[in-house]
Amino acid sequence: MNYSPLLTVMVRAARKAGALAVQFFDRRHQLEVAFKGKDDPVTSADTAVEKEILFHLRKAYPRYGILAEESPPSTGKEEWQWVVDPIDGTLNFLHGNPHFALSIGLARGDELQAGVVYDPVRDELFTAERGRGAFLNDQRIRVSDRGTLNGALIATGFPLRRKHLAAPYLSSFAAVFAASADIRRAGSASLDLAYTAAGRFDGFWESGLSPWDIAAGCIIVQEAGGFCSDFQGGNQFLGSGNIVAGNPNLHRHLLTTLEGSELPQALGQSGTGPG
Ligand code: IPD
Ligand code: CA
Ligand code: CA
């Protein structure tokens, strides 16, 4: 496939750093693990993989800003900004579950421009650039065409670092569970979004995420013909970390179903920012 110069750089960064991530995964028992917070581990693999990604991005685009999970942010005044999660699914990674991804997004102001989500274990590369469609290993992907929640397979994430939200979260879970065929919690938000873009999930919702969890995955969903929004149906999902995604019909049904649960109100009371 003929990538644009921009995607060429992003894909190179993802593939080089992905190979490194797999090496670390194979010897994960030797990793140094520190904790940024309760249930929020960071390993020497996260920092080394991020360093490799940023090396390739900076080399090609030295003036772009950087918002990356394991690094101090740049000034934030740059028009173009990389939004990077070196290992999305660190808890899976540390437990030997081979379901994690590298996530590289690019935003211009508030608008997402391009995204790469790479699962190095399965060698699945999800890519998208604004206006140019979404791809999995260079094959065009599209969101599913399921019209209602009936029979739908929906992905979600638990509020693992905000356990005080368990009850309102479970209210949203119960509402979606009652209306759909089943729900998956696989442990990597970027892959949840990439799978939604590929039609492997009909939709996805989670709260309290960080921009690096969702930037790349969201443009992949959008370019695959789907919608991403916050819980009010607006476009503040990167800032709030509260996200609903799916094909256009499913997205609408998911939003309505979530509105009927206790989650949006609880998020309003506890602040909507990531945590
Ligand atoms: C996490 C994963 C997980 C989601 C968490 C994220 P990390 O990212 O995306 O699926 O539920 O909220 O923080 O910490 O493994 O990069
Ligand atoms: Ca993450
Ligand atoms: Ca991470």
Side-chain angles (χ1 to χ4, degrees), residues 69 85 88 212-213:
E69 183 172 13
D85 191 339
D88 184 43
W212 46 77
D213 299 314

Side-chain angles (χ1 to χ4, degrees), residues 103-186:
S103 177
I104 305 174
L106 178 66
R108 184 180 189 182
D110 289 340
E111 193 176 60
L112 295 170
Q113 296 297 325
V116 169
V117 172
Y118 182 46
D119 170 346
V121 173
R122 296 185 183 89
D123 191 24
E124 288 197 322
L125 181 78
F126 299 85
T127 56
E129 210 174 340
R130 177 156 298 284
R132 295 185 180 196
F135 298 83
L136 162 55
N137 290 347
D138 303 340
Q139 302 290 317
R140 187 79 191 242
I141 50 173
R142 287 203 62 79
V143 288
S144 79
D145 57 6
R146 187 173 297 282
T148 67
L149 277 167
N150 191 13
L153 184 61
I154 304 295
T156 188
F158 303 145
L160 76 159
R161 292 176 204 114
R162 300 196 294 177
K163 296 214 160 80
H164 63 283
L165 289 175
Y169 170 76
L170 287 174
S171 143
S172 75
F173 183 97
V176 177
F177 190 53
S180 62
D182 205 354
I183 296 180
R184 298 283 179 269
R185 195 297 189 243

Side-chain angles (χ1 to χ4, degrees), residues 40 69 85 87-91 157-158 160-161 185 187-190 192 206 209 213:
D40 197 2
E69 183 172 13
D85 191 339
I87 298 180
D88 184 43
T90 293
L91 269 179
F158 303 145
L160 76 159
R161 292 176 204 114
R185 195 297 189 243
S188 168
S190 62
D192 291 333
E206 185 164 348
L209 288 165
D213 299 314

Side-chain angles (χ1 to χ4, degrees), residues 57-270:
L57 301 181
R58 280 195 180 114
K59 196 164 119 191
Y61 296 94
R63 289 178 204 280
Y64 285 15
I66 288 172
L67 179 64
E69 183 172 13
E70 316 301 349
S71 308
S74 53
T75 64
K77 293 200 178 114
E78 300 90 351
E79 186 185 0
W80 294 82
Q81 193 175 47
W82 299 112
V83 189
V84 174
D85 191 339
I87 298 180
D88 184 43
T90 293
L91 269 179
N92 279 347
F93 183 98
L94 271 177
H95 285 79
N97 292 317
H99 188 79
F100 57 87
L102 292 76
S103 177
I104 305 174
L106 178 66
R108 184 180 189 182
D110 289 340
E111 193 176 60
L112 295 170
Q113 296 297 325
V116 169
V117 172
Y118 182 46
D119 170 346
V121 173
R122 296 185 183 89
D123 191 24
E124 288 197 322
L125 181 78
F126 299 85
T127 56
E129 210 174 340
R130 177 156 298 284
R132 295 185 180 196
F135 298 83
L136 162 55
N137 290 347
D138 303 340
Q139 302 290 317
R140 187 79 191 242
I141 50 173
R142 287 203 62 79
V143 288
S144 79
D145 57 6
R146 187 173 297 282
T148 67
L149 277 167
N150 191 13
L153 184 61
I154 304 295
T156 188
F158 303 145
L160 76 159
R161 292 176 204 114
R162 300 196 294 177
K163 296 214 160 80
H164 63 283
L165 289 175
Y169 170 76
L170 287 174
S171 143
S172 75
F173 183 97
V176 177
F177 190 53
S180 62
D182 205 354
I183 296 180
R184 298 283 179 269
R185 195 297 189 243
S188 168
S190 62
L191 283 177
D192 291 333
L193 285 162
Y195 281 25
T196 301
R200 293 175 178 177
F201 293 135
D202 296 299
F204 167 65
W205 91 99
E206 185 164 348
S207 67
L209 288 165
S210 297
W212 46 77
D213 299 314
I214 51 182
C218 275
I219 182 145
I220 297 173
V221 167
Q222 291 166 345
E223 287 297 318
F227 288 171
C228 284
S229 76
D230 56 34
F231 284 4
Q232 281 69 45
N235 60 9
Q236 297 303 308
F237 52 88
L238 277 186
S240 70
N242 304 327
I243 183 158
V244 183
N247 78 47
N249 286 323
L250 247 288
H251 175 265
R252 183 164 42 87
H253 288 299
L254 255 183
L255 260 184
T256 314
T257 306
L258 292 169
E259 271 165 19
S261 80
E262 292 162 25
L263 187 59
Q265 207 198 339
L267 289 170
Q269 284 160 3
S270 75

